[in-house]
Amino acid sequence: MTHTFGAHLTAGATEAGSRTALVFENRSWTYAELDRAVRRTVARLDKSGVRRGDRVVMQGAARPEALITLFAVTRMGAVLVPLHPQATGGELAVVCEETEPTAVVADEKFPAGAGLRLTWEELHPEDDGPEAPDCDPPAGSDVAVIAFTSGTSGRPKGVALTHDNLHWSMANGLARLPFGEDDTVLVSTPLAHVAVLGGLPQYTWARRGTVILAPRFDPDLFIDLVRDHQVTCAFAVPAMSALLARHPRFADGDLDSLRWILSGGSPAQTATREQFRARGIGVVNSYGLTETAAGVTYSAPDEPAASTGSPVPHVELVVVDATGSPAPASTSGEIWVRGPSVAAEYWTARGPVPVTDAEGWFHSGDRGRLDTEGRLEVVGRVKDTIITGGENVDPAEVENALADLPGVVEVAVSGTPDPIWGEVVTAFLVSDAGEPSLDDVRTHLDGRLARHKWPRRLRVVPALPRGATGKLQRQRLTTLLDD
């Protein structure tokens, strides 16, 4: 059976054509109108010379034309390569070197790249234009999207996600997340994020719900859109959730329609999660990566705050020790994932590079532990573990314990070199209420964490280093000590 990405949108146009599929600012599209827009874009891409198997680099701007382009490129059997809208010329050069695109779709301010350049206005003119005729769908094993990882260091890697990968990712999300055709979902993250390519908006369209697309994330705009469109569900990385929880309007009635927020990238910190719970909004933690085409675990809103939930139906997940053997329950180790949503290859100019081992396991590089009920808690990166005086310390555990320190807006923890201890636990805090002292931090942690996990160094900083998608760049933390 062929699992063409976008088949859920085509089915929606046939079965629920008059329902509202997408809203952006003052315009909306029904399922039938959105499908027609995709057909017209296929025709324009074909006329421009794009063919099956060609790569099309696209600036991942938060605009409806980008979503339409995503469906058009993949429907015609070409391969979409989405980039963050703030990508630099150097980043674009790496992507073009690796993928050799036939075309780049972007606005005029986006850096120039290799291949044919198409602006949004050229690809999506105001006149309707002809629609592409039906064509043979791509095979499930064909690559649909090459999503470049937002790694914290080194050369980014292009994850080759097939139509099958994206189909099974959607099947996993639909099996676990509690929503249906009457839900309205808000998307306010860059469209190059895997949570958009294989995540919540795709699940929403499969259920015939409505997606509200925000042009950017801004707490005031987010709250306005929830109020104006009676949004019921939304996706947010933890930094976004924390900003919302601290906003003066958070307690107002404007968010009353919001039932739950899906937290991706890392679990929402305990303090933020409790603020949402007190407000009557559930937080669904998830664990997933670009290589797994979005989520492989989802929690229930009433699960322990640190839990990311149990594995979805079409995924195998194990936590292994240093020998590759399954670790006992509640013991941390590396998270391995296997299943049809897991990519098989990284795309490079030199040819494909395997993502998985010979038995199909993806070694995530993340540390986690499974409790006795099979629920996953993510505790950090394997390489991020701090070894201080011979004791292992997980930065995420210390960060979670410091998240509700009075005045703290954001917190990150890292190991910094020390001639006696090897490394010492170092806390980096963003505060909106003066500068907490190391004694304040230790008093707060007394009774919460063992003493060897307490920070020995503290730096209050104006902001934490984050990548384009909001992911903490932990390797850059130590540079803040020199500021």
Side-chain angles (χ1 to χ4, degrees), residues 107-157:
D107 61 36
E108 293 181 351
K109 296 180 181 179
F110 197 65
L116 172 70
R117 185 178 181 84
L118 296 170
T119 65
W120 297 114
E121 291 73 22
E122 291 169 332
L123 191 57
H124 302 276
E126 292 186 4
D127 61 295
D128 290 339
E131 297 178 14
D134 291 332
C135 57
D136 292 335
S141 59
D142 288 346
V143 177
V145 173
I146 301 174
F148 276 79
T149 57
S150 56
T152 53
S153 63
R155 190 179 180 90
K157 295 183 291 186

Side-chain angles (χ1 to χ4, degrees), residues 19-246:
R19 291 184 65 90
T20 301
L22 177 66
V23 177
F24 180 78
E25 296 182 337
N26 297 321
R27 186 176 174 188
S28 65
W29 289 257
T30 65
Y31 278 84
E33 289 169 338
L34 194 57
D35 187 64
R36 282 196 296 272
V38 171
R39 289 176 177 272
R40 292 178 184 123
T41 304
V42 169
R44 295 185 188 111
L45 287 167
D46 180 76
K47 185 178 180 180
S48 299
V50 176
R51 298 291 180 263
R52 184 180 293 257
D54 288 349
R55 275 77 63 201
V56 177
V57 171
M58 183 187 75
Q59 175 192 13
R63 54 193 300 164
E65 294 92 341
L67 289 170
I68 293 167
T69 301
L70 161 65
F71 286 115
V73 170
T74 54
R75 182 178 294 190
M76 66 189 301
V79 182
L80 188 83
V81 187
L83 283 184
H84 193 279
Q86 296 176 2
T88 65
E91 290 166 328
L92 176 62
V94 169
V95 169
C96 289
E97 180 182 334
E98 294 289 6
T99 63
E100 299 178 321
T102 297
V104 175
V105 182
D107 61 36
E108 293 181 351
K109 296 180 181 179
F110 197 65
L116 172 70
R117 185 178 181 84
L118 296 170
T119 65
W120 297 114
E121 291 73 22
E122 291 169 332
L123 191 57
H124 302 276
E126 292 186 4
D127 61 295
D128 290 339
E131 297 178 14
D134 291 332
C135 57
D136 292 335
S141 59
D142 288 346
V143 177
V145 173
I146 301 174
F148 276 79
T149 57
S150 56
T152 53
S153 63
R155 190 179 180 90
K157 295 183 291 186
V159 181
L161 297 172
T162 66
H163 290 264
D164 279 341
N165 292 149
L166 294 167
H167 166 82
W168 288 110
S169 174
M170 186 165 63
N172 286 329
L174 292 173
R176 191 58 59 81
L177 292 172
F179 69 107
E181 66 177 14
D182 294 328
D183 278 306
T184 299
V185 172
L186 176 58
V187 174
S188 53
T189 49
L191 300 188
H193 200 293
V194 71
V196 175
L197 302 171
L200 194 55
Q202 308 303 333
Y203 312 158
T204 304
W205 284 318
R207 289 279 191 241
R208 313 295 186 252
T210 300
V211 171
I212 310 297
L213 178 63
R216 64 191 181 283
F217 173 73
D218 171 83
D220 267 313
L221 177 61
F222 186 102
I223 295 170
D224 286 344
L225 291 173
V226 170
R227 177 199 61 204
D228 294 346
H229 298 282
Q230 291 296 285
V231 168
T232 57
C233 320
F235 174 82
V237 298
M240 294 163 59
S241 298
L243 288 170
L244 286 167
R246 294 196 308 272

Side-chain angles (χ1 to χ4, degrees), residues 251-452:
D252 296 344
D254 292 339
L255 292 173
D256 283 353
S257 64
L258 192 60
R259 299 201 328 272
W260 52 266
I261 279 187
L262 175 61
S263 180
S266 62
Q269 292 183 324
T270 301
T272 300
R273 185 180 172 104
E274 292 307 313
Q275 286 175 283
F276 273 85
R277 275 185 173 180
R279 181 66 180 75
I281 303 169
V283 176
V284 177
N285 284 332
S286 66
Y287 173 69
L289 308 99
T290 303
E291 286 87 347
T292 64
V296 293
T297 70
Y298 294 100
S299 72
D302 58 351
E303 284 185 10
S307 170
T308 64
S310 54
V312 290
H314 306 289
V315 157
E316 296 175 80
L317 185 148
V318 295
V319 172
V320 302
D321 61 21
T323 68
S325 300
S330 303
T331 302
S332 65
E334 186 178 9
I335 302 168
W336 289 8
V337 182
R338 180 166 67 181
S341 63
V342 178
E345 298 173 340
Y346 295 108
W347 185 291
T348 77
R350 300 166 302 286
V353 174
V355 168
T356 60
D357 65 18
E359 296 181 349
W361 289 104
F362 168 57
H363 302 195
S364 71
D366 290 328
R367 295 187 73 224
R369 49 178 167 252
L370 292 166
D371 66 16
T372 54
E373 297 183 30
R375 298 175 301 199
L376 177 69
E377 178 185 350
V378 181
V379 296
R381 294 286 294 172
V382 171
K383 294 181 180 179
D384 290 339
T385 300
I386 303 167
I387 303 176
T388 179
E391 298 283 353
N392 288 354
V393 178
D394 288 314
E397 183 181 15
V398 185
E399 290 165 357
N400 204 40
L402 287 174
D404 59 347
L405 177 68
V408 167
V409 175
E410 289 187 282
V411 58
V413 170
S414 182
T416 56
D418 184 85
I420 297 175
W421 299 96
E423 289 183 295
V424 293
V425 179
T426 305
F428 300 84
L429 303 179
V430 179
S431 174
D432 62 3
E435 294 199 7
S437 67
L438 196 57
D439 285 340
D440 294 331
V441 168
R442 290 174 172 175
T443 298
H444 182 76
L445 294 179
D446 193 12
R448 296 183 177 214
L449 292 178
R451 286 178 176 265
H452 72 273

